[in-house]
Amino acid sequence: MVLCQQNRMDPLLAQNVQGLEIGHWMKPLANMIKVNVDGAIFEAAGCFGFGFMVRDSAGQIVEVVSKCRPGHVSSEIFEASGIKEALSCIKRKGWEVVTLETDCLVAVQAVKSNILMPSAFGLLVWKCRNLLLELTNVNFNFVKRSANKVAHFLQCSACYLLDCVFYFNDPPSELLDVVLAESSF
């Protein structure tokens, strides 16, 4: 059974979060890259997964990543794991002028805060903060799930796609259908 989160948890902090008003996916500005990330837990399989998609300013697929890991973890852990992996990919590829979006408000608020959290989630948040400090021109934002449909599709498929990386010329047709529907705005 795949648990695709319906409730993104209550916010940690009462602060304005950029992206709250966005209801559909929007192309990044010229010469920018947009990365959408999401996570899921697969209780029956005893694992969790996450996926992210990288698109250019024309809305074209640059790269798609779907990963699955063993273990029973909390929702904030699998969400933060996906964010950390996406940030690591951005760093590894040397991408600059990037917008990273997720539909997990708790993770965005935790990463943007200065609160130290002595927990597994806190360690992932700390790693995300450090990666953001090492990167130039990376904006990290919360968006509604309706603006994160492709990443949601990827995270719900992570258990079946296992550890996959697709590039602009070889994504599965099911994924292309979701991308085309999302890009129609």
Side-chain angles (χ1 to χ4, degrees):
M1 173 183 175
V2 177
L3 280 183
C4 298
Q5 280 189 287
Q6 298 303 315
N7 181 349
R8 301 317 272 178
M9 302 174 283
D10 293 328
L12 286 174
L13 307 169
Q15 65 183 24
N16 291 335
V17 178
Q18 189 176 11
L20 283 174
E21 69 287 344
I22 299 171
H24 62 275
W25 186 83
M26 296 174 54
K27 291 179 187 176
L29 300 175
N31 300 315
M32 289 185 73
I33 290 177
K34 183 175 276 191
V35 180
N36 290 88
V37 61
D38 204 3
I41 191 160
F42 307 99
E43 284 186 348
C47 60
F48 66 98
F50 49 84
F52 59 90
M53 175 173 277
V54 182
R55 287 182 269 189
D56 63 17
S57 58
Q60 299 297 310
I61 297 170
V62 174
E63 188 169 334
V64 179
V65 176
S66 179
K67 295 192 176 196
C68 189
R69 299 288 180 258
H72 292 281
V73 298
S74 64
S75 56
E76 61 268 6
I77 296 285
F78 64 72
E79 296 284 358
S81 295
I83 293 165
K84 184 186 80 57
E85 286 294 322
L87 288 168
S88 295
C89 180
I90 292 166
K91 180 181 175 184
R92 190 172 51 255
K93 301 283 184 164
W95 291 325
E96 295 182 3
V97 194
V98 178
T99 296
L100 176 63
E101 296 179 338
T102 180
D103 57 9
C104 183
L105 182 57
V106 169
V108 172
Q109 289 180 327
V111 171
K112 288 186 172 189
S113 78
N114 292 322
I115 298 170
L116 295 176
M117 295 169 273
S119 63
F121 176 64
L123 178 61
L124 284 167
V125 166
W126 179 81
K127 288 178 180 181
C128 290
R129 287 178 190 156
N130 285 335
L131 283 165
L132 279 168
L133 289 173
E134 295 173 22
L135 297 167
T136 46
N137 296 319
V138 175
N139 293 310
F140 179 47
N141 300 314
F142 168 81
V143 291
K144 293 179 179 180
R145 172 158 309 150
S146 58
N148 207 31
K149 289 179 182 174
V150 170
H152 183 70
F153 171 84
L154 287 169
Q155 58 94 8
C156 286
S157 304
C159 188
Y160 310 104
L161 294 175
L162 298 176
D163 286 3
C164 294
V165 176
F166 302 103
Y167 298 96
F168 68 94
N169 58 349
D170 69 346
S173 60
E174 303 86 13
L175 178 61
L176 283 177
D177 292 342
V178 178
V179 170
L180 289 174
E182 186 175 72
S183 298
S184 65
F185 285 97

